[in-house]
Amino acid sequence: MHADRANRVVLALLGLLLLGLGVTGLLLGAGVFGGTAAHRTLVDNGVVRFVIAQRDWLWPVVAVIAVVVGLLALRWLLAVLFSSGRLAGIPVAGDRAAGRTTLISAALRDAVSGEIERYRGVRSARTRVEGDPADPRLAVSVRADRDADLAELRQNIEKNALTHARHALDAPGLPIRLDLTTARRAGPRVT
């Protein structure tokens, strides 16, 4: 389950529903649907009369539906809180005659971060391997010294570390997101 996509869809639908109810209430109060509708009380309608007439069986059904909705909401919440989208291993393409090769994502993550951290002007680097095994993605966050040449650093990262990651996975089109930020304080100077 892609929690981010599900969140956006569910929240957009909920927002549209609430917006529609709000606009309907405003139009009703403004008398757009007629003067008698604007002055009726909230509980003076056919739905409320139906609920009162069917109260023996309706409330247990409402309780069951509420429990199902609550369980779905709990599953959604757990998916949002505990899904990281991180991969344990990535199958590497190649000759299958000798067997299947799987690259442990922690090894790739540590190799990319370690290589980037050795570059001049880099304070720290963090790499995440995300997606599914058939379609992995890398997210690389680099924190550089304030006085580092970011253009040169970016070019160095793309030409070396990210090229090495793509080569290790035998995936020249591997999508990689690179986030470069600078530290608030300047790095130590050697005089």
Side-chain angles (χ1 to χ4, degrees):
M1 174 181 188
H2 297 301
D4 291 341
R5 190 177 312 139
N7 280 343
R8 287 192 292 270
V9 169
V10 170
L11 291 175
L13 291 175
L14 183 61
L16 287 173
L17 175 70
L18 292 174
L19 178 68
L21 289 173
V23 168
T24 302
L26 287 173
L27 293 175
L28 186 65
V32 173
F33 299 116
T36 59
H39 296 294
R40 284 178 47 190
T41 61
L42 185 61
V43 293
D44 182 26
N45 59 50
V47 175
V48 172
R49 286 189 291 275
F50 175 79
V51 168
I52 291 170
Q54 308 300 325
R55 65 179 170 255
D56 293 337
W57 65 268
L58 184 65
W59 290 115
V61 171
V62 168
V64 168
I65 291 172
V67 167
V68 169
V69 169
L71 290 173
L72 289 173
L74 180 64
R75 182 185 182 285
W76 180 34
L77 182 64
L78 292 174
V80 169
L81 292 177
F82 298 113
S83 74
S84 63
R86 294 182 186 171
L87 295 176
I90 305 164
V92 178
D95 185 18
R96 298 267 184 197
R100 194 172 115 186
T101 304
T102 302
L103 178 64
I104 304 297
S105 64
L108 178 66
R109 179 189 71 218
D110 293 344
V112 171
S113 296
E115 182 176 350
I116 293 172
E117 286 177 344
R118 287 192 301 267
Y119 297 159
R120 197 174 95 227
V122 174
R123 286 205 173 182
S124 65
R126 213 175 69 229
T127 304
R128 287 177 25 147
V129 183
E130 303 170 334
D132 57 71
D135 186 28
R137 298 180 308 274
L138 287 182
V140 181
S141 299
V142 178
R143 192 166 153 232
D145 290 332
R146 192 173 76 187
D147 55 350
D149 183 359
L150 293 181
E152 179 183 326
L153 180 59
R154 178 177 180 243
Q155 185 177 18
N156 194 14
I157 291 170
E158 287 178 352
K159 284 174 60 177
N160 294 308
L162 302 185
T163 301
H164 296 155
R166 287 183 171 115
H167 181 71
L169 291 174
D170 194 24
L174 177 70
I176 300 174
R177 186 184 78 232
L178 175 62
D179 296 322
L180 281 171
T181 58
T182 56
R184 292 183 182 188
R185 296 184 351 213
R189 295 238 181 233
V190 176
T191 56

